[in-house]
Amino acid sequence: MQKIFLECRECNATYRPDFKYVCDSCFGPLDVKYTNKFSTKLFKTRSANTYWKYFELLPILDKSNIISIGSGLTPLIKATKLGEKLGLYNLYIKNDSVNTTFSFKDRPAGVAVSKAKEFNLSTVGCASTGNLASATAAHAAKGGLKCLIFAPKNIEQPKITQAISYGAEYIAIDGTYDDSNRIAAQIGDKHKIGIVNINMRPYYTEGSKTLAFEVADQLGWKVPDQLIIPVGSGAMLNSICKGFEELENVSLLGDTSNIHVTAAQPRGCAPIVNAFKEHRTEIIPIEHPDTIAKSLAIGDPGDGRYVIKRLSQYNGYADDCNNEEIIDSIILLAKTEGIFTEPAGGVSISILRKMVENKMIDKYDQTICFITGNGLKSPESLFDIIPKPKIAQPSIEKILSIMR
Ligand SMILES: *Cc1c(COP(=O)(O)O)cnc(C)c1O
Ligand SMILES: [Zn+2]
């Protein structure tokens, strides 16, 4: 029996699990479905320290094709100090800022590059807003595949420095993320390159599901009440929902239909929030994204309309925040919980704070706020904000005279 097959998200046509990403009859996106029977006890008893703990619900057929750099099983922190500030008793931070390449993108990239190996491809690539570049490049390095990065020429310097260090080739596009995406799609199809977030997308998105698996696992196989998720293309939010659905299907979780899912976006690029607030199902693209949350600067989000669907399925909400609020929230999280995040994480915290202000979260709700990237990846946004140090002569009297 095959472990998996592909199914069209629009018309439900089914396909063999090949190197394929759109439906032949309606051009809809394809999703991976699982047919394997396995003992769910495995997930409760297996000791592991990567997200491959959940192998039975990941789309790799042969374990020998797994390329792992040790990602996943990141901490779920009970945010007691931030919770106290906000009046929440059960606030948790899913801290993916400490993943191997310092963002959650190790999950989708790791699964997609492993699948590329399973398909015997020699080259992978991606279109990236920054973090996916490093995650793809690192897994390609470990697996011995070549890696091409297509990204706007203005992506954050630490992110591109990191990606190139893993040996990837960076093609800097004089344009937006959407331009990079279009070019990567054409080159990928023409040269049989596994572009992880485009022609490998059915497999890529499976990786992010492990965020749902880990949260459920870390809560002792309990269903949370609130999920606050930063959104760019929308793939991660959609995958997290798919993950909870699958856990319910295999009876590892009870009823998941009462989960409240919130999409968080930065104001300068919030096409999904705009659609949600205007009760539209179609997304109007943002042509020139303008935000410090560069990893969320996707003007034409591939999974945008599916995020809207998920929000209506899961008692959802969507909101945006400005640059000032993002920076304020980065600092609040760092000062209360000791976690330093990049602007995308500041977006999740800002929306959490707005929801608390608007009394949308009960103080006892099990609330999970997803922190998806590390602050060291984009320090620029803070350079002008943090106080300049006082320079002191190396003498005790001088130092005591200026200390707070
Ligand atoms: C890519 C990214 C996101 C958004 O994920 P999508 O699947 O594009 O919605 C959120 N946070 C960080 C840090 C990212 O790199
Ligand atoms: Zn179809």
Side-chain angles (χ1 to χ4, degrees):
M1 186 177 53
Q2 272 276 29
K3 176 181 177 183
I4 55 171
F5 63 94
L6 296 175
E7 184 181 273
C8 173
R9 206 181 288 171
E10 291 293 336
C11 76
N12 298 104
T14 61
Y15 299 93
R16 290 162 43 84
D18 295 332
F19 182 24
K20 178 175 183 62
Y21 67 110
V22 280
C23 176
D24 293 337
S25 41
C26 80
F27 301 106
L30 304 178
D31 286 321
V32 176
K33 298 280 157 144
Y34 295 79
T35 53
N36 53 331
K37 295 261 178 295
F38 64 96
S39 164
T40 54
K41 261 208 214 113
L42 279 177
F43 288 2
K44 296 189 171 175
T45 55
R46 181 183 275 158
S47 74
N49 48 19
T50 74
Y51 58 69
W52 292 102
K53 178 178 183 184
Y54 311 103
F55 174 78
E56 285 74 13
L57 288 177
L58 289 170
I60 303 300
L61 304 180
D62 184 339
K63 276 191 174 161
S64 70
N65 291 318
I66 290 175
I67 299 166
S68 176
I69 55 173
S71 306
L73 298 202
T74 56
L76 182 73
I77 306 284
K78 181 131 196 207
T80 46
K81 275 196 78 194
L82 180 58
E84 197 178 304
K85 265 225 146 76
L86 300 178
L88 299 177
Y89 293 117
N90 292 307
L91 175 62
Y92 292 85
I93 300 294
K94 179 59 175 168
N95 185 14
D96 251 19
S97 74
V98 296
N99 229 328
T100 314
T101 70
F102 306 107
S103 86
F104 91 96
K105 291 288 199 315
D106 282 336
R107 300 170 186 278
V111 171
V113 177
S114 298
K115 196 65 192 177
K117 185 178 173 203
E118 195 153 80
F119 285 146
N120 279 315
L121 303 181
S122 60
T123 307
V124 291
C126 66
S128 177
T129 55
N131 289 324
L132 184 55
S134 288
T136 306
H139 284 89
K142 177 78 174 174
L145 287 85
K146 274 194 274 185
C147 181
L148 294 173
I149 309 294
F150 299 88
K153 64 172 191 197
N154 70 345
I155 73 170
E156 292 138 311
Q157 203 56 46
K159 292 182 180 172
I160 205 58
T161 304
Q162 185 190 4
I164 293 171
S165 301
Y166 297 119
E169 183 177 349
Y170 171 39
I171 294 137
I173 306 288
D174 188 5
T176 62
Y177 171 79
D178 292 317
D179 296 321
S180 312
N181 202 68
R182 188 166 35 78
I183 297 295
Q186 289 167 4
I187 291 181
D189 285 351
K190 202 162 159 209
H191 297 281
K192 273 204 101 183
I193 295 170
I195 306 291
V196 298
N197 58 325
I198 304 175
N199 59 20
M200 298 289 296
R201 200 166 181 84
Y203 306 102
Y204 167 86
T205 56
E206 290 298 281
S208 303
K209 257 176 19 182
T210 57
L211 279 166
F213 296 172
E214 290 177 20
V215 165
D217 196 342
Q218 289 165 318
L219 290 175
W221 302 102
K222 297 260 166 49
V223 182
D225 299 304
Q226 302 274 356
L227 306 177
I228 298 159
I229 305 171
V231 168
S233 77
M236 174 181 41
L237 184 144
N238 196 47
S239 301
I240 290 173
C241 294
K242 185 175 189 272
F244 279 107
E245 235 165 40
E246 287 178 358
L247 293 180
E248 182 178 342
N249 289 343
V250 298
S251 305
L252 270 165
L253 285 181
D255 184 8
T256 58
S257 66
N258 293 321
I259 300 179
H260 294 250
V261 174
T262 294
Q265 292 203 292
R267 181 127 336 133
C269 187
I272 296 173
V273 172
N274 296 344
F276 177 84
K277 289 192 169 172
E278 291 157 21
H279 308 286
R280 284 186 272 112
T281 51
E282 98 282 11
I283 309 292
I284 300 173
I286 306 292
E287 246 171 78
H288 300 289
D290 179 16
T291 169
I292 59 166
K294 295 235 166 71
S295 44
L296 304 180
I298 298 182
D300 190 6
D303 281 303
R305 52 194 231 86
Y306 299 106
V307 170
I308 297 291
K309 263 193 174 168
R310 290 296 192 183
L311 295 181
S312 69
Q313 181 188 357
Y314 286 107
N315 324 289
Y317 178 65
D319 210 344
D320 58 10
C321 55
N322 63 32
N323 288 346
E324 236 179 289
E325 292 168 316
I326 294 171
I327 287 171
D328 200 51
S329 291
I330 291 175
I331 291 171
L332 176 67
L333 180 66
K335 281 190 173 169
T336 51
E337 296 299 328
I339 294 171
F340 184 41
T341 183
E342 67 162 277
V347 171
S348 325
I349 299 289
S350 297
I351 303 311
L352 166 71
R353 294 165 84 182
K354 285 181 195 225
M355 292 175 75
V356 169
E357 270 162 37
N358 298 335
K359 306 206 172 4
M360 297 176 65
I361 301 182
D362 183 86
K363 58 178 185 261
Y364 295 109
D365 276 356
Q366 295 246 346
T367 301
I368 316 293
C369 197
F370 288 86
I371 298 301
T372 46
N374 195 294
L376 288 176
K377 287 199 168 219
S378 54
E380 296 95 337
S381 52
L382 296 179
F383 284 164
D384 299 332
I385 308 292
I386 48 169
K388 296 280 171 289
K390 299 170 193 142
I391 312 269
Q393 298 301 314
S395 107
I396 296 293
E397 293 84 60
K398 288 262 167 61
I399 290 171
L400 288 177
S401 73
I402 60 168
M403 269 171 58
R404 274 192 277 171

